Amino acid sequence: MAGHCEVLRVEEVSVAYDGRVVLRQVTFTVWSGERVAVVGPNGAGKSTLFKAIVGLLPLQSGRIDVLGCNPQQERVSVGYVPQREEVDLSFPVTVADVVMMGRIRHIGWLRRPSRRDRERVRWALDQVGLADLADRPLKKLSGGQIQRTFIARALAQEAPILLMDEPFAGVDATSEEAILSLLDRLRERQITVLLATHDLRMATEWSDRVLLLNGEVVAWGPPREALCPAALQQVYGRQLTLWEHERGVWMLGDDHCSGGRE
């Protein structure tokens, strides 16, 4: 447990999407500074869970508490980085414009950004290695640079919790290195991070705890407990290749670790 302060509580949450129940009776609690890997196959509900936490999807039942706030009723202080495929590149904005959107809660509507707002945007861009691209149109960036721009937008919010939905999917080596370096710096600042990923090896090496999802919570705990053979077989089926990781957990073969949309 990384800290003694509870920052996120999800209690018996069920969510329906397009008329189909995607999450059923999901329950877990996250503490300040924790690094949580949310793992599961396509359609397991990882993206749905994140959207429910930030209040973008209504709950069918249950309750979510973020730092004492109900995201279904009020805005919560959570930085959210969606999957890159959800980004609309047709909108004519620069990199700095996108990051400044993360300051709206501080600025307020119809008000001009202050000096502090501009400083936080520059700081956020520097954190992801894009300070020299601040004035470049978003649509001119590579996939990895777009991903880093939206991470910078989340950082500009100055939120104590960061949700990252498949941040490594389709990014180049430079962007992957920049994101991993940023995650280490966030840990030093006790920022809580929930990261959705298909990569079980990354989840094992990076996280404090793993939430293994497949429409419901299959396992929740330290990697060596959550990623056990029985849980992996329940989620991915019995026709799989297992090997033992050096951290003492069981992993799937590489063909079960590829990325994709939910």
Side-chain angles (χ1 to χ4, degrees), residues 20-252:
R20 179 175 64 92
V21 177
V22 180
L23 293 177
R24 296 179 299 277
Q25 299 293 302
V26 172
T27 296
F28 65 97
T29 302
V30 179
W31 301 83
S32 63
E34 272 198 295
R35 307 212 300 191
V36 176
V38 182
V39 175
N42 290 339
K46 302 186 296 295
S47 297
T48 298
L49 173 63
F50 281 5
K51 289 175 182 177
I53 290 173
V54 296
L56 294 177
L57 287 177
L59 306 186
Q60 190 177 56
S61 62
R63 176 180 175 84
I64 296 176
D65 188 289
V66 180
L67 295 167
C69 299
N70 182 346
Q72 302 295 313
Q73 300 175 351
E74 54 192 315
R75 296 180 65 180
V76 294
S77 186
V78 176
Y80 172 51
V81 183
Q83 291 190 25
R84 200 176 76 227
E85 289 87 345
E86 299 180 19
V87 176
D88 182 4
L89 297 180
S90 66
F91 200 62
V93 291
T94 67
V95 170
D97 290 336
V98 172
V99 180
M100 186 63 77
M101 292 174 188
R103 299 294 301 171
I104 292 297
R105 180 171 181 167
H106 301 272
I107 300 170
W109 294 103
L110 303 178
R111 293 178 60 187
R112 295 178 63 84
S114 66
R115 178 179 177 181
R116 172 172 169 74
D117 294 320
R118 292 189 292 271
E119 288 175 348
R120 295 307 294 181
V121 167
R122 286 194 293 269
W123 170 83
L125 285 170
D126 186 60
Q127 292 298 302
V128 299
L130 294 180
D132 57 335
L133 300 181
D135 297 323
R136 182 168 296 185
L138 185 68
K139 62 184 178 181
K140 297 292 186 181
L141 300 186
S142 69
Q145 290 169 337
I146 291 171
Q147 189 72 297
R148 284 190 275 160
T149 298
F150 280 85
I151 292 173
R153 182 184 68 173
L155 293 177
Q157 293 179 235
E158 299 184 85
I161 306 174
L162 181 62
L163 308 182
M164 305 177 75
D165 195 352
E166 296 286 353
F168 300 104
V171 305
D172 53 83
T174 300
S175 291
E176 181 172 327
E177 183 178 340
I179 295 170
L180 285 170
S181 176
L182 171 64
L183 289 171
D184 288 338
R185 295 195 298 276
L186 292 177
R187 187 179 186 86
E188 294 171 0
R189 295 171 50 209
Q190 283 291 293
I191 302 296
T192 303
V193 178
L194 279 73
L195 188 151
T197 181
H198 285 77
D199 189 337
L200 301 184
R201 186 180 298 106
M202 189 269 179
T204 298
E205 297 174 350
W206 172 83
S207 66
D208 298 312
R209 288 198 285 177
V210 172
L211 179 68
L212 183 57
L213 271 184
N214 195 18
E216 59 189 6
V217 177
V218 177
W220 166 238
R224 68 169 55 241
E225 296 177 10
L227 298 177
C228 65
L232 292 173
Q233 288 174 344
Q234 182 178 341
V235 171
Y236 294 96
R238 296 189 177 277
Q239 300 302 315
L240 48 78
T241 302
L242 291 173
W243 56 276
E244 192 169 6
H245 189 273
E246 61 186 12
R247 285 188 66 181
V249 303
W250 290 88
M251 306 288 291
L252 296 172

